[in-house]
């Protein structure tokens, strides 16, 4: 299936895709805050500038968009056009994520990745339980 937008229009749309304060990040931060967790955002001194840093727990949380980070859910499917570009782009994102996680773990940080598709109102209790278990038990998912 070809793109419904012209190349210039698609370029304009993609230019406006944010990397900070995305809707999934804001929802997760709200959930954490209303449950008493305090955190820092996008610390530049840490590899990968994690979305959420919880210094008290020596833990970081990355909020990954399913499309951009190659998740295997229905939101993570790759486009059928310009496949070489998108495959290269998404594979490089995945490689960068693995490198950043390894560097953080080498520095003693615990890392949790929360996928965009996990952040839904109906999954809120499950997600909160997962995060609490990660923070309090040291388990990594």
């Amino acid at each position: 299936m070809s793109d419904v937008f012209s190349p210039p229009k698609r370029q304009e749309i993609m230019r406006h895709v944010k990397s900070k304060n995305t809707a999934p990040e804001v929802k997760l931060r709200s959930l954490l805050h209303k449950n008493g967790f305090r955190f820092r955002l996008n610390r530049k001194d840490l590899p990968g500038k994690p979305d959420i840093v919880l210094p008290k727990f020596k833990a970081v949380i990355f909020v990954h968009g399913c499309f951009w980070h190659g998740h295997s859910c229905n939101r993570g499917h790759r486009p059928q056009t310009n496949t070489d570009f998108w495959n290269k782009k998404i594979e490089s994102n995945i490689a960068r994520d693995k490198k950043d996680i390894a560097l953080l773990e080498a520095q003693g940080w615990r890392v949790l990745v929360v996928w965009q598709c996990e952040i839904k109102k109906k999954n809120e209790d499950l997600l909160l339980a997962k995060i609490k278990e990660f923070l309090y038990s040291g388990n990594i998912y």
Side-chain angles (χ1 to χ4, degrees):
M1 179 177 172
S2 64
D3 198 350
V4 295
F5 296 109
S6 67
K9 180 66 176 171
R10 174 59 65 195
Q11 213 170 24
E12 179 186 339
I13 291 169
M14 297 307 286
R15 228 185 346 264
H16 288 92
V17 174
K18 300 186 303 181
S19 63
K20 291 183 185 176
N21 299 318
T22 62
E25 283 181 39
V26 171
K27 285 180 188 176
L28 182 59
R29 293 189 327 228
S30 175
L31 176 67
L32 289 171
H33 195 269
K34 77 179 177 186
N35 283 281
F37 294 102
R38 299 301 176 254
F39 47 84
R40 296 282 166 247
L41 302 177
N42 307 105
R43 278 193 34 193
K44 292 179 177 128
D45 61 323
L46 294 177
K49 292 188 269 184
D51 300 311
I52 299 170
V53 181
L54 298 118
K56 175 181 175 181
F57 298 96
K58 189 84 174 172
V60 301
I61 300 175
F62 284 102
V63 181
H64 282 177
C66 298
F67 172 77
W68 296 103
H69 296 271
H71 193 224
S72 59
C73 69
N74 62 352
R75 290 175 171 253
H77 72 278
R78 296 187 185 192
Q80 299 299 310
T81 58
N82 205 3
T83 55
D84 289 340
F85 169 81
W86 285 112
N87 287 335
K88 183 179 175 188
K89 171 70 177 158
I90 294 169
E91 292 303 323
S92 72
N93 288 350
I94 292 168
R96 186 190 63 230
D97 294 341
K98 287 179 182 176
K99 179 188 69 111
D100 290 340
I101 289 169
L103 289 170
L104 285 162
E105 289 173 342
Q107 292 179 14
W109 290 90
R110 294 180 308 117
V111 180
L112 176 67
V113 173
V114 176
W115 293 97
Q116 173 186 3
C117 61
E118 293 179 291
I119 304 172
K120 295 180 182 169
K121 189 72 172 166
K122 65 180 181 179
N123 296 344
E124 198 171 275
D125 293 336
L126 223 62
L127 180 58
L128 184 59
K130 175 182 175 175
I131 292 170
K132 283 182 175 179
E133 184 178 339
F134 165 72
L135 293 174
Y136 293 123
S137 72
N139 290 341
I140 299 175
Y141 289 84

